[in-house]
Amino acid sequence: MSTQTELYDVALTHFAENDLEAAVNAFKELIAAYPDYIEGYLGLGHAYERLGQYDEAIDAVQKAIEINPNDPLAYTSLSICYQRKGMIQEAEDAMAKSQQVQLEISSQNG
């Protein structure tokens, strides 16, 4: 079985080469093997977003948020997906949540 890093690298390579269907499949393989790896869901979300499959992208990013609700990047990604789908209020809400989480992290570390 491939390692988490190996699977992630394969998925990212497909994504970088704009082979988005292969990227989706590779991210799905990564998630199947490592279901709690947030980067797999975020990558899957980005690949779906680039394919224009916004509902699937939103679902993937929401799964990443379930795994780690304190990741501001996940909320930013969700905001982008909502924006692409024309869901402006939801996009603004997700971006506000991203900023809130980032402030909370900063105050804990500062």
Side-chain angles (χ1 to χ4, degrees):
M1 181 170 164
S2 298
T3 68
Q4 180 175 294
T5 302
E6 290 168 341
L7 291 171
Y8 186 63
D9 287 347
V10 168
L12 282 183
T13 298
H14 290 306
F15 187 83
E17 293 172 349
N18 208 36
D19 187 353
L20 300 175
E21 293 291 344
V24 164
N25 291 331
F27 281 119
K28 284 181 176 181
E29 181 181 348
L30 170 62
I31 291 165
Y34 301 95
D36 291 332
Y37 185 51
I38 188 173
E39 298 301 330
Y41 292 97
L42 290 175
L44 180 61
H46 288 296
Y48 276 137
E49 184 262 326
R50 292 259 302 268
L51 284 165
Q53 297 177 9
Y54 304 124
D55 290 333
E56 292 85 350
I58 290 166
D59 289 344
V61 174
Q62 285 176 332
K63 180 63 178 167
I65 291 170
E66 288 175 24
I67 293 168
N68 182 3
N70 297 314
D71 185 339
L73 178 59
Y75 292 101
T76 300
S77 296
L78 184 60
S79 177
I80 291 167
C81 293
Y82 281 141
Q83 182 182 9
R84 298 273 193 269
K85 194 172 177 194
M87 301 171 69
I88 302 307
Q89 185 60 56
E90 292 84 348
E92 290 175 355
D93 292 346
M95 187 54 69
K97 181 66 176 177
S98 174
Q99 292 168 346
Q100 175 191 350
V101 169
Q102 186 59 49
L103 284 173
E104 291 169 2
I105 291 169
S106 295
S107 67
Q108 291 170 1
N109 294 334

